[in-house]
Amino acid sequence: MSGVVQHFVLAAGGTGGHLIPAFALAQELTARGHHVALITDERGAAIPGKPDALTAHVLPAGRITKNPLSWVKGTRAIMEGRRMALRLFESFDPSAVVGFGGYPALPALLAATSAGIPSVIHEQNAVLGRVNRLLAGRVQAIATAYPEVSRLADKYLGKVHLVGNPVRPEVLDLRNRPFPPFTDEGLLRVLVTGGSQGARVLSEVVPDGLAMLPPALRSRLQVTQQCRPEDMEAVRGRYTGHHIPAELGTYFEDMASRLADAHLFIGRAGASTIAELTAVGRPAILVPLPIATDDHQAANTREMVKAGGARSIRQDRFTAKELAKQIQVMAQRPDTLANAAHAAWNCGRPHAARDLADLVEGFGGTPLMDVIRVGGTEAPASGSEALARESVQ
């Protein structure tokens, strides 16, 4: 810590993927004695997990799409949010503004540029998001969660810092626990989650795929699966018909403890999911969400798959037969699953919140300021105009 109390503004879009790392950074900066404020939209303000000490400011955040009809309304909201952010900066006097992506972050970062306040963006995915692409030339540093990030222009590489993606403290606490014992006769505990958009295909495929495993392996299964409420009875019927014990739920509050007990994870490849799997060290079969923007979930799997900690199956190839085949490869012997767990663990970046805080704190004059490369690129035209141009390309 620098010893100087600073003020920081964090700006994040209204989804858990953007807010969770923002909350983690807020906790770390607050623990260091700094003051932190959050700029978000109405959805973001309702996301659970916000630290008590973090004050949230809800600002307008227009969205500009490929439809020209959205441009006027979206631009008006963005510029109103920018004006409100400037008023907040006058009273709060931040040392830096940190954006975590999503349209609600855009007005705050545009305001920071106007006010001459240093700014940082954090990209959670392995593809630079649309808003972060727009802002990359304006900010002083780009923090990434992966060593390889697509759609990040080479001219900005000099200000890139690999920090990782912060995870919840209760998950990070599991990092130094050993992989749960898995023997030739013991249970194989499988955890299945799909997120709000992805649970249905998993509900349809996973029970039948598990049923296709060899009897010696199938008889040892113990499954926990998150389902949509409307799918619950159908999934329960599938498992009952296959004589596979399964605990089903629409939401598990103790997800960290369930992850701790799991030998194998099956699910989507969102940034927070990958960060938690690698923080704990859990082998996975990942099914990237095909409608994810810029196919970023498929990109998120690259590092973990290359290391040997996961298998990735495209949704159009995600069949019961293919799933059973991949599970057999990963769990054919106790050591293969344990080795995959270790490979996943090696991909983890447990100090992400600390390293991101060090980077951000550097703008207040700590020695880190000397190693931050400040981009010398000329700022583009107005943010809303640039975003509109990019949206229609």
Side-chain angles (χ1 to χ4, degrees):
M1 178 175 170
S2 66
V4 177
V5 176
Q6 301 172 59
H7 293 188
F8 297 99
V9 171
L10 313 185
T15 67
H18 296 309
L19 269 298
I20 288 173
F23 292 163
L25 177 61
Q27 287 179 301
E28 178 68 21
L29 290 172
T30 301
R32 299 184 183 197
H34 302 306
H35 299 155
V36 187
L38 173 70
I39 287 179
T40 187
D41 60 357
E42 292 181 358
R43 280 198 310 159
I47 296 290
K50 184 179 76 66
D52 293 336
L54 181 61
T55 302
H57 301 266
V58 177
L59 268 61
R63 183 179 180 86
I64 297 175
T65 68
K66 293 181 180 180
N67 184 353
L69 296 178
S70 72
W71 297 357
V72 174
K73 182 179 179 181
T75 299
R76 186 181 297 121
I78 290 169
M79 300 319 292
E80 174 59 21
R82 176 179 170 276
R83 285 191 290 271
M84 293 174 68
L86 283 170
R87 290 197 294 270
L88 172 64
F89 296 166
E90 288 177 0
S91 60
F92 196 67
D93 191 24
S95 297
V97 177
V98 188
F100 289 84
Y103 280 85
L106 181 56
L109 272 296
L110 293 177
T113 298
S114 298
I117 299 170
S119 56
V120 178
I121 52 176
H122 178 270
E123 178 56 61
Q124 299 88 51
N125 293 297
V127 180
L128 199 66
R130 179 176 293 175
V131 169
N132 280 349
R133 289 200 299 272
L134 170 67
L135 296 167
R138 299 169 175 266
V139 300
Q140 279 64 56
I142 300 170
T144 65
Y146 296 91
E148 180 183 348
V149 179
S150 302
R151 306 205 69 171
L152 175 59
D154 290 346
K155 61 183 177 181
Y156 302 136
L157 294 180
K159 53 184 174 181
V160 171
H161 301 258
L162 175 61
V163 300
N165 197 14
V167 300
R168 296 171 294 162
E170 60 267 31
V171 172
L172 195 57
D173 288 343
L174 304 174
R175 182 164 175 83
N176 292 323
R177 289 195 195 178
F179 184 63
F182 176 60
T183 65
D184 289 322
E185 294 79 28
L187 291 173
L188 173 59
R189 290 188 290 270
V190 179
L191 176 63
V192 187
T193 71
S196 59
Q197 297 185 79
R200 173 154 293 165
V201 68
L202 296 167
S203 295
E204 293 172 348
V205 173
V206 174
D208 294 346
L210 295 175
M212 295 179 71
L213 292 172
L217 190 57
R218 186 179 64 201
S219 64
R220 296 157 50 204
L221 288 170
Q222 187 177 74
V223 181
T224 299
Q225 182 159 349
Q226 177 196 39
C227 310
R228 289 179 172 183
E230 61 268 29
D231 298 333
M232 187 75 69
E233 290 309 311
V235 177
R236 182 173 286 114
R238 287 175 186 262
Y239 279 117
T240 299
H242 295 314
H243 305 289
I244 296 174
E247 180 183 0
L248 309 180
T250 57
Y251 177 75
F252 296 110
E253 290 188 1
D254 57 341
M255 187 59 78
S257 64
R258 293 174 186 274
L259 186 60
D261 291 337
H263 296 110
L264 177 65
F265 172 89
I266 303 173
R268 294 301 195 188
S272 294
T273 296
I274 300 291
E276 293 191 351
L277 290 172
T278 55
V280 179
R282 289 299 177 268
I285 294 176
L286 302 169
V287 187
L289 182 69
I291 62 172
T293 305
D294 295 320
D295 201 21
H296 68 256
Q297 286 205 2
N300 290 349
T301 70
R302 286 187 305 228
E303 182 184 26
M304 200 173 171
V305 168
K306 184 177 180 180
R311 302 252 167 173
S312 181
I313 307 175
R314 288 284 189 175
Q315 184 162 309
D316 59 0
R317 295 182 56 247
F318 185 58
T319 62
K321 183 177 180 180
E322 180 64 20
L323 176 61
K325 173 185 172 183
Q326 296 299 338
I327 293 175
Q328 283 183 260
V329 170
M330 295 188 76
Q332 58 183 318
R333 297 189 311 273
D335 63 317
T336 57
L337 208 55
N339 289 340
H342 186 66
W345 190 89
N346 281 336
C347 293
R349 296 182 174 86
H351 304 303
R354 182 200 70 187
D355 293 346
L356 182 56
D358 285 347
L359 175 64
V360 170
E361 198 180 49
F363 290 105
T366 68
L368 184 62
M369 187 64 182
D370 294 334
V371 302
I372 292 177
R373 296 187 182 182
V374 179
T377 55
E378 200 172 311
S382 80
S384 54
E385 291 173 2
L387 184 58
R389 287 199 299 267
E390 184 185 47
S391 298
V392 298
Q393 290 177 353

mmCIF file of all heavy atoms in Angstrom, residues 98 111 191 306 319 383:
data_model
loop_
_atom_site.group_PDB
_atom_site.id
_atom_site.type_symbol
_atom_site.label_atom_id
_atom_site.label_comp_id
_atom_site.label_asym_id
_atom_site.label_seq_id
_atom_site.Cartn_x
_atom_site.Cartn_y
_atom_site.Cartn_z
ATOM 1 N N VAL A 98 -11.905 2.849 -12.992
ATOM 2 C CA VAL A 98 -11.659 1.487 -13.480
ATOM 3 C C VAL A 98 -12.947 0.946 -14.098
ATOM 4 O O VAL A 98 -13.981 0.884 -13.432
ATOM 5 C CB VAL A 98 -11.206 0.549 -12.341
ATOM 6 C CG1 VAL A 98 -10.772 -0.799 -12.912
ATOM 7 C CG2 VAL A 98 -10.076 1.191 -11.541
ATOM 8 N N ALA A 111 -16.176 10.143 -19.306
ATOM 9 C CA ALA A 111 -16.037 11.300 -18.412
ATOM 10 C C ALA A 111 -14.613 11.400 -17.875
ATOM 11 O O ALA A 111 -14.065 12.502 -17.743
ATOM 12 C CB ALA A 111 -17.038 11.189 -17.270
ATOM 13 N N LEU A 191 -20.568 -32.180 -10.796
ATOM 14 C CA LEU A 191 -21.311 -30.928 -10.602
ATOM 15 C C LEU A 191 -21.651 -30.353 -11.964
ATOM 16 O O LEU A 191 -20.769 -30.163 -12.804
ATOM 17 C CB LEU A 191 -20.474 -29.935 -9.797
ATOM 18 C CG LEU A 191 -21.054 -28.538 -9.586
ATOM 19 C CD1 LEU A 191 -22.354 -28.597 -8.784
ATOM 20 C CD2 LEU A 191 -20.037 -27.630 -8.883
ATOM 21 N N LYS A 306 -5.739 -26.338 -23.370
ATOM 22 C CA LYS A 306 -4.354 -26.542 -23.784
ATOM 23 C C LYS A 306 -3.503 -27.114 -22.652
ATOM 24 O O LYS A 306 -2.615 -27.942 -22.864
ATOM 25 C CB LYS A 306 -3.762 -25.211 -24.269
ATOM 26 C CG LYS A 306 -2.348 -25.327 -24.811
ATOM 27 C CD LYS A 306 -1.856 -23.978 -25.329
ATOM 28 C CE LYS A 306 -0.438 -24.073 -25.874
ATOM 29 N NZ LYS A 306 0.048 -22.753 -26.380
ATOM 30 N N THR A 319 -23.504 -34.238 -27.615
ATOM 31 C CA THR A 319 -24.484 -35.322 -27.570
ATOM 32 C C THR A 319 -24.184 -36.211 -26.368
ATOM 33 O O THR A 319 -23.096 -36.141 -25.775
ATOM 34 C CB THR A 319 -24.420 -36.174 -28.842
ATOM 35 O OG1 THR A 319 -23.109 -36.776 -28.924
ATOM 36 C CG2 THR A 319 -24.660 -35.328 -30.093
ATOM 37 N N GLY A 383 -17.116 9.253 -28.013
ATOM 38 C CA GLY A 383 -17.299 7.833 -27.769
ATOM 39 C C GLY A 383 -18.536 7.285 -28.425
ATOM 40 O O GLY A 383 -18.533 6.190 -28.975
#
